[in-house]
Amino acid sequence: QVQLVESGGGLVQAGGSLRLSCSASGSFFSINAMGWYRQAPGKQRELVASIARAGSTNYADSVKGRFTISRNDANTMTYLQMNSLKPEDTAVYYCHARDERWLDYWGQGTQVTVSS
């Protein structure tokens, strides 16, 4: 089975930075895209950033200019560099991968808390 494991979350003051990492392991088909979602208390899960095979990226408007997504060559790792963090960035961040069969894989989530 495919497993996605996130790490790097924690508590940081507003204006600080965190780097999230996600590692994919197990048997899976070729990954077409990887990304990060987040879910804040009382809110639905939302897309934060994604990166495709060719390296093209997409970001939520709320994080453009502050967050950067990257991946390794094998598309088995993805990273989210988060700078200039704001209290509204507080959420559980989930790693996501989508393979060539359009199947989705999710990590367990990592908590990011930004204090004012």
Side-chain angles (χ1 to χ4, degrees), residues 47-96:
L47 176 67
V48 177
S50 64
I51 184 166
R53 273 184 169 272
S56 60
T57 57
N58 288 289
Y59 296 92
D61 289 341
S62 60
V63 306
K64 287 180 179 178
R66 299 188 298 120
F67 291 9
T68 303
I69 188 171
S70 60
R71 56 160 174 79
N72 67 348
D73 292 339
N75 288 320
T76 54
M77 295 285 294
T78 186
Y79 311 91
L80 186 67
Q81 179 66 47
M82 304 185 294
N83 298 326
S84 301
L85 283 163
K86 304 174 181 179
E88 51 263 44
D89 294 319
T90 296
V92 177
Y93 284 71
Y94 297 90
C95 179
H96 169 258

Side-chain angles (χ1 to χ4, degrees), residues 6-79:
E6 304 100 331
S7 63
L11 175 65
V12 65
Q13 293 183 348
S17 298
L18 286 173
R19 181 178 173 86
L20 305 183
S21 299
C22 174
S23 177
S25 62
S27 298
F28 52 86
F29 287 78
S30 179
I31 299 297
N32 286 341
M34 301 189 77
W36 292 90
Y37 288 71
R38 68 186 180 188
Q39 187 167 21
K43 299 182 65 177
Q44 292 186 324
R45 189 174 299 186
E46 63 178 351
L47 176 67
V48 177
S50 64
I51 184 166
R53 273 184 169 272
S56 60
T57 57
N58 288 289
Y59 296 92
D61 289 341
S62 60
V63 306
K64 287 180 179 178
R66 299 188 298 120
F67 291 9
T68 303
I69 188 171
S70 60
R71 56 160 174 79
N72 67 348
D73 292 339
N75 288 320
T76 54
M77 295 285 294
T78 186
Y79 311 91

